[in-house]
DNA sequence: ACGTCAAGGTTGATGCATCAACTAATCTGG
DNA sequence: CCAGATTAGTTGATGCATCAACCTTGACGT
């Protein structure tokens, strides 16, 4: 139960700083290019990537790993701005289904392009393939660790 | 200007998932152990680590790299909860100085212990020293990249 | 059937993050 | 010394994230 070592503390500090700054610039560029928040973006992409034209809230929630109230609030805001519509769900009258408006679908594609380009520009073009692989492995390792202790 | 390659897209997805989950569990454990948010924690630690007993808001802001309105709102909430006090600044009558209450100081130490232990448990104990070094290097590289294109 | 319980979703409240507008004090050039 | 520009900090508005309470509907054991 010792403290963090110096390299560990420095690594953590760098990671934290990077995490905040990176998500800051990505979010800002996305908003500047499309007017979407990252939350908007996640929802639009998740719905758009489905083959069917309408998706159950439940499926969306599982895919995004969001809490139900978070999704509900987010969908309300997106509906007000004309990005999606909501309709009743036939298989389960408790449920609801989400559909993209034309504008929503268009923005989803637009945003995807901008966002991927920004990830490439800020991240992938700066790292070697080995570093990208290392980042993936580190992330998967930590995810496993979290999964294990929270199950 | 090609798209992301498959390994790149997978690495990014893992990173994003890890980032969200990790900050989720860390924040939750901190809140459960101390009742503090991560924002509270950052401020308390930043103030507590200073040799002087009172710190200018300006210095705090620079150290944390926060926007001024963010700090102002946060300090207001923390003052209401009795974690800090604010007083006028003598060198510059526009400024204000922040001081920890006894309770704030105590919580800062308590929280530091819990937080570092959680970082060790979730992150450092799961990674090899090489992975920790790789994470630091990746983070520093990306930070440089962001600095360069945004200055 | 029916009573109970779980699940899908909404709502309201609160804290956090950001933007823009504002106040007041300091700095600076002439 | 003064007018204009900066700077420190506050405030209000809005969107996002989370928690708890709630409502409706479906599932299931008996």
């Amino acid at each position: 139960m010792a403290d963090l070592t110096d390299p560990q503390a420095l690594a953590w500090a760098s990671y934290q700083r990077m995490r905040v700054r990176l998500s800051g610039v990505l979010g800002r560029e996305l908003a500047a290019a499309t007017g979407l928040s990252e939350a908007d973006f996640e929802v639009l992409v998740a719905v758009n990537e489905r083959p069917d034209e309408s998706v159950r809230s439940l499926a969306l929630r599982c895919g995004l790993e969001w809490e139900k109230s978070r999704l509900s609030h987010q969908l309300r805001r997106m509906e007000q701005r004309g990005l999606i519509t909501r309709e009743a769900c036939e298989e389960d009258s408790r449920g609801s289904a989400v559909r993209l408006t034309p504008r929503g679908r268009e923005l989803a594609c637009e945003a995807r392009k901008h966002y991927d380009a920004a990830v490439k520009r800020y991240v992938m073009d700066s790292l070697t393939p080995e570093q990208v692989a290392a980042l993936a492995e580190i992330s998967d390792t930590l995810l496993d660790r979290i999964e294990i202790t929270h199950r």
Side-chain angles (χ1 to χ4, degrees), chain A:
Chain A
M1 265 307 168
D3 279 356
L4 298 182
T5 65
D6 278 8
Q8 287 174 341
L10 290 173
W12 182 250
S14 287
Y15 165 73
Q16 286 282 70
R17 214 164 115 78
M18 175 278 283
R19 175 180 78 81
V20 170
R21 312 274 261 134
L22 182 58
S23 94
V25 298
L26 291 180
R28 228 169 277 269
E29 292 206 0
L30 184 64
T34 65
L36 298 174
S37 70
E38 289 180 286
D40 296 331
F41 175 58
E42 277 189 77
V43 171
L44 287 185
V45 167
V47 177
N48 200 29
E49 270 171 359
R50 298 240 160 202
D52 331 289
E53 48 185 65
S54 101
V55 185
R56 275 203 64 169
S57 287
L58 179 57
L60 213 44
R61 214 166 85 204
C62 295
L64 293 169
E65 300 185 296
W66 279 17
E67 302 205 3
K68 58 185 180 177
S69 73
R70 178 180 178 187
L71 184 59
S72 180
H73 286 302
Q74 182 68 34
L75 291 178
R76 175 180 42 73
R77 288 189 297 260
M78 293 178 73
E79 190 172 26
Q80 283 172 353
R81 282 183 296 149
L83 299 175
I84 60 159
T85 59
R86 281 191 284 185
E87 41 197 82
C89 171
E90 56 251 10
E91 336 149 14
D92 186 339
S93 10
R94 291 171 299 184
S96 77
V98 178
R99 183 186 302 269
L100 296 190
T101 62
R103 169 163 177 72
R105 192 173 303 273
E106 184 192 350
L107 274 177
C109 299
E110 198 62 22
R112 176 120 217 100
K113 282 201 313 248
H114 281 287
Y115 194 80
D116 282 4
V119 169
K120 182 170 185 303
R121 191 153 29 82
Y122 282 111
V123 179
M124 301 308 167
D125 289 352
S126 311
L127 300 179
T128 66
E130 291 75 29
Q131 285 180 310
V132 174
L135 180 60
E137 202 171 311
I138 289 168
S139 300
D140 289 336
T141 301
L142 298 182
L143 278 167
D144 281 352
R145 170 70 163 168
I146 293 169
E147 283 298 323
I148 287 166
T149 75
H150 284 280
R151 163 80 29 176

